Amino acid sequence: MHYRSGPNDALPNIRIEREPKSHRLRVALNGATTTQDFAAAIAAAGAALADGSSHAVVFDLRGSPYAPRQHEAQQLAEQLAQLRHVLTGPIALLAETPLQFGVARMIASFAEAAAMAVAAFRSDAEAEVWLLAELRRHASERDGSGAAGGP
């Protein structure tokens, strides 16, 4: 099953794609977006995974010139942490501009303080390598066979 949503009237600048085979939920922000749009994207990701499925989540900011300020980055990370019971897989933040990448790293740092696996990337390929390693690590920890160490 492939789930696809948006853009729609409620979230016109957000597109959500769920791909169960790859265990990915991709949330793309496009066009003129705001902190409220990013917060809505986080909430939409939580709602899409409320069925208990464990998916990696990719927030793709590359289609938008948006970059939150430091206090907004902290608020967004806190929102991610509040949804960690449904956002149980690793979270990749894809950024295009140096400013977006720096802020994405800030969000990742704040979220990591809440024991969440969040990282910032500039390309799909880099994010994919990390997501696969994190999904393997999570699976092995769940199975009790995972050693703390490498992927």
Side-chain angles (χ1 to χ4, degrees):
M1 179 184 166
H2 181 81
Y3 168 84
R4 180 177 237 147
S5 172
N8 60 45
D9 291 339
L11 304 171
N13 297 325
I14 300 168
R15 183 182 179 125
I16 301 171
E17 293 181 296
R18 183 174 182 174
E19 299 175 5
K21 286 185 180 180
S22 64
H23 296 282
R24 301 283 181 284
L25 183 72
R26 178 174 292 271
V27 182
L29 279 71
N30 298 298
T33 54
T34 64
T35 300
Q36 290 77 20
D37 292 324
F38 198 167
I42 292 170
L49 297 177
D51 62 0
S53 59
S54 180
H55 279 65
V57 179
V58 177
F59 288 99
D60 191 345
L61 308 174
R62 297 174 300 176
S64 170
Y66 168 73
R69 294 185 170 105
Q70 181 178 354
H71 74 279
E72 295 168 333
Q74 187 166 7
Q75 291 170 349
L76 293 167
E78 289 169 0
Q79 184 181 1
L80 286 170
Q82 290 171 357
L83 292 173
R84 69 176 162 251
H85 63 285
V86 291
L87 300 178
T88 58
I91 299 171
L93 305 170
L94 286 172
E96 185 169 42
T97 68
L99 178 59
Q100 278 182 334
F101 184 73
V103 174
R105 288 184 60 185
M106 245 193 295
I107 293 169
S109 293
F110 290 135
E112 285 173 5
M116 295 184 75
V118 181
F121 301 94
R122 289 191 170 112
S123 75
D124 284 304
E126 292 172 321
E128 186 64 22
V129 168
W130 180 79
L131 289 169
L132 287 172
E134 286 295 307
L135 287 170
R136 275 193 304 259
R137 186 179 65 77
H138 285 215
S140 65
E141 286 176 357
R142 253 192 335 267
D143 297 341
S145 61

